[in-house]
Amino acid sequence: ERWNYRRIQEKTNAAEIPEGISLTDATDSILSIASALGVTMEFITDAGVFSRGKLDAGTRALLEALPPLAPHERIVSDWTKEDESVQLNYRQFFHDLPVLETDAHMPGILEWETPLTMVSATVSRRGLERLVFPSVMGREAPLGEMFAPISPEEALSACGRANLQLDGWQNLHVSTIELGYVMLAKNRALTDLEARPAWLIRIWGEIFGETESVAVAVDAQTGTIIAK
């Protein structure tokens, strides 16, 4: 009641796919690569269509801020119709539960401590152009004994009791609550990761006239807010 909790999932609006781009062929290529890596994943959303008209200064700055390009890659400034592309995002699974993508605004957690896990693919009329796995989920043996997770209502109650530093926010509401794994880095180099079963809760609100959201992870076993 405190956050006007609604049992719904945020719906994504699919971008208009340019003529000549085959998502079916691209998906087959992507899933075959994932299968070879031993990864199970599902499509979650597209990030829109990138065309010549959208490659303004802001878009170029965004592209340049992405991970370093491979030696054979370059940023194309004078785009043609053949360069139009679509970015597709996929979510990995670990021990039959989704690996949940977090963000830099999780209370008590620094950005590097919850490494990116979402797989992104760039597809053009030429086919699959780029496929990025921030990390590859294996089938590591689980630690500890099996347990029944706390209920979503218990996870929401934990949020209600915690100090999430949202006092200045208005019109707070929860849009999604999902059970899965949250990845936590055990070292700064991101070479040692821990998959923590958790409820990931997305809270939206208004602050300084802007609509913002935060993601809060609640340990699915202990019911405590995950923070480092």
Side-chain angles (χ1 to χ4, degrees), residues 11-138:
K11 295 182 179 179
T12 56
N13 296 320
E16 182 179 350
I17 306 303
E19 182 180 357
I21 294 181
S22 174
L23 296 189
T24 300
D25 293 345
T27 299
D28 289 343
S29 299
I30 294 166
L31 294 182
S32 65
I33 294 172
S35 177
L37 293 173
V39 172
T40 301
M41 60 186 191
E42 67 174 358
F43 172 76
I44 51 174
T45 183
D46 61 63
V49 177
F50 297 92
S51 63
R52 181 179 182 182
K54 291 187 178 181
L55 194 62
D56 53 19
T59 303
R60 183 179 180 84
L62 176 62
L63 293 174
E64 291 175 340
L66 293 174
L69 299 178
H72 63 283
E73 294 178 323
R74 64 186 178 91
I75 295 178
V76 179
S77 298
D78 53 341
W79 280 24
T80 67
K81 189 174 182 179
E82 291 302 310
D83 295 310
E84 288 183 335
S85 58
V86 179
Q87 181 177 319
L88 308 176
N89 297 323
Y90 295 82
R91 181 162 61 181
Q92 299 187 63
F93 279 76
F94 185 62
H95 290 284
D96 301 322
L97 284 178
V99 178
L100 304 174
E101 189 77 3
T102 58
D103 58 33
H105 305 291
M106 294 180 67
I109 295 182
L110 300 177
E111 182 176 5
W112 71 268
E113 293 177 327
T114 53
L116 299 177
T117 60
M118 187 169 60
V119 178
S120 65
T122 304
V123 180
S124 72
R125 291 178 176 83
R126 293 181 289 267
L128 179 61
E129 299 276 9
R130 182 179 175 92
L131 184 60
V132 178
F133 281 82
S135 59
V136 176
M137 307 304 301

